[in-house]
Amino acid sequence: YYMASLLEKNGEIEKARDVIRKVIAANPNNAHALNFLGYSMVEVGDDLEQGFKFIKKAVELRPNDGYIRDSLGWYYYKVGKLQEALRELKLAVQYEGKDLTITNHLAIVYQELKSYSLAKKVYEEALKLCKEEKDIQEIGQALDKLQDILRLPASKE
């Protein structure tokens, strides 16, 4: 699993997936491996439905895992099911409230739902979780764009 994470961080997605597939072959009920593979597919967008199946099985195995709930929420976001995404991402934050990616995903969904004040609040929480300059810049840019939206008179709260 650790090797797959390193390969993914180095941009070697297919090699990472091959390693994870071997983990799953050895243990078909490894929720974290199922989640890793499913999230990878959803994030890249190459096979959303297969990714969903892996994530769904991971949720069945570990329903209280915030990282797995985040993956399910992100899948729903990617397919445009924003209310389902919101439900899952709120659960993910409840379980893993100090994770930058999960917090950022929730802010993105709030923004898509035009719940701008909630999005701003969650982006501000995400900014507090940033440890790397690139993350600070990314969240800062998202906040700047949101501030521009909030300045528009037609903004819906």
Side-chain angles (χ1 to χ4, degrees):
Y1 185 83
Y2 181 70
M3 179 181 279
S5 295
L6 289 175
L7 287 166
E8 184 185 49
K9 282 184 182 13
N10 286 332
E12 297 180 76
I13 304 291
E14 283 311 312
K15 285 183 182 178
R17 288 182 184 176
D18 288 343
V19 169
I20 286 297
R21 283 185 181 101
K22 289 175 185 168
V23 171
I24 293 169
N27 179 3
N29 291 322
N30 184 320
H32 290 288
L34 291 163
N35 184 60
F36 182 103
L37 186 55
Y39 183 81
S40 170
M41 295 170 129
V42 167
E43 184 63 17
V44 173
D46 59 358
D47 194 344
L48 291 173
E49 292 314 307
Q50 186 61 45
F52 173 71
K53 289 176 185 174
F54 287 125
I55 294 166
K56 196 71 172 156
K57 184 173 180 183
V59 168
E60 290 168 10
L61 293 166
R62 298 200 52 156
N64 298 330
D65 186 302
Y67 298 105
I68 295 171
R69 288 289 180 177
D70 172 67
S71 296
L72 184 56
W74 201 238
Y75 163 78
Y76 285 133
Y77 168 75
K78 291 280 192 164
V79 298
K81 295 181 176 181
L82 297 179
Q83 289 302 321
E84 291 90 337
L86 181 62
R87 179 188 68 233
E88 294 300 328
L89 292 168
K90 282 180 167 181
L91 278 173
V93 166
Q94 180 181 326
Y95 298 131
E96 293 294 337
K98 301 295 181 197
D99 183 84
L100 175 60
T101 300
I102 293 171
T103 305
N104 188 44
H105 285 169
L106 180 60
I108 290 168
V109 170
Y110 273 133
Q111 187 167 340
E112 282 292 314
L113 289 167
K114 298 183 178 17
S115 296
Y116 298 125
S117 352
L118 288 171
K120 180 181 179 204
K121 179 181 172 188
V122 177
Y123 274 131
E124 288 169 346
E125 287 301 313
L127 197 54
K128 292 175 191 173
L129 298 172
C130 292
K131 291 181 175 68
E132 296 182 25
E133 185 60 35
K134 69 176 184 61
D135 295 329
I136 293 169
Q137 288 178 0
E138 181 183 319
I139 301 297
Q141 288 173 351
L143 263 169
D144 289 345
K145 288 179 185 176
L146 184 58
Q147 292 288 42
D148 291 343
I149 291 169
L150 286 169
R151 285 188 203 102
L152 296 174
S155 292
K156 177 182 157 188
E157 285 296 312

